[in-house]
Amino acid sequence: MRGKTRYGALAGVLALGAGLLLAPSASASEQSPTGCPPDTWYKVTQVKLSYEAVGNTAGKYNSSGSNAILRYDLTTTKSKTTGWEFSGGGSLSWGIGQVEAKTSYNVQWSTTTGVTVANTINVPGHSYGYTTPKIERRRFVIDKYQDTASCGARFLYTMGTLNAITAFPFFSECTARSACTPKP
């Protein structure tokens, strides 16, 4: 009985070994994917929107019983600049170029004091109208990515953050029967 067991084991090993010697077959129509080249690219993401005053609030009372268009001529008292917080590279001009190329916003480098800006508001009768000159600021993060061999995207690092002035002058306004604070 012992001899039969050895003979059966030897036959099993030889059969298994013969199976391993056979080459796998593949048809000509099966090809491996070519993959994607390891290109790098940048993604621009807006992370915040805010408004900052660059002048004093002005207001008038419309004493008539009908609507009136009130004009405000305001002088800027604060200067503001677009800023670059550098993490992985780039510069202020490079960051502005990325944001302008990948979004619909034009970035203004800076504003100065002493500039007169005008705004008009339609104010109902027996109401106040207030306005404040502001800048619109948007914060953008610029990240660097690389394409992978399987055509996916791999995050490499953050290039930096651009605190961009995207509108100037921007006017906050309000109208009310009593004093009000211009929003936004």
Side-chain angles (χ1 to χ4, degrees):
M1 174 108 157
R2 201 174 205 185
K4 288 185 178 182
T5 305
R6 282 189 187 165
Y7 178 73
L10 180 62
V13 168
L14 289 175
L16 179 62
L20 292 175
L21 293 176
L22 297 175
S25 62
S27 67
S29 64
E30 294 178 15
Q31 296 180 3
S32 63
T34 58
C36 291
D39 293 333
T40 57
W41 46 276
Y42 302 98
K43 180 180 178 184
V44 174
T45 307
Q46 180 182 319
V47 293
K48 186 177 180 183
L49 169 65
S50 61
Y51 301 94
E52 300 169 21
V54 292
N56 298 323
T57 300
K60 291 183 181 176
Y61 179 72
N62 177 9
S63 60
S64 75
S66 59
N67 288 356
I69 295 177
L70 300 180
R71 179 184 166 104
Y72 299 90
D73 291 313
L74 305 166
T75 301
T76 58
T77 58
K78 297 175 188 168
S79 63
K80 300 286 181 174
T81 60
T82 289
W84 175 249
E85 295 172 18
F86 151 28
S87 295
S91 65
L92 175 62
S93 60
W94 179 85
I96 289 172
Q98 289 294 314
V99 167
E100 288 184 339
K102 293 180 172 39
T103 69
S104 61
Y105 301 107
N106 291 318
V107 177
Q108 185 163 338
W109 287 74
S110 64
T111 66
T112 59
T113 61
V115 176
T116 301
V117 291
N119 188 30
T120 57
I121 301 176
N122 188 9
V123 180
H126 304 292
S127 296
Y128 290 91
Y130 291 92
T131 186
T132 305
K134 295 183 177 183
I135 62 164
E136 176 186 80
R137 189 180 293 277
R138 293 176 190 268
R139 186 175 175 96
F140 298 95
V141 173
I142 304 172
D143 294 321
K144 186 173 185 176
Y145 285 83
Q146 182 178 35
D147 291 333
T148 63
S150 61
C151 301
R154 180 172 63 108
F155 171 77
L156 296 176
Y157 50 87
T158 297
M159 294 294 291
T161 303
L162 186 72
N163 294 305
I165 299 171
T166 52
F168 170 79
F170 177 87
F171 294 97
S172 292
E173 302 173 347
C174 68
T175 58
R177 295 282 180 185
S178 60
C180 58
T181 302
K183 302 285 184 195

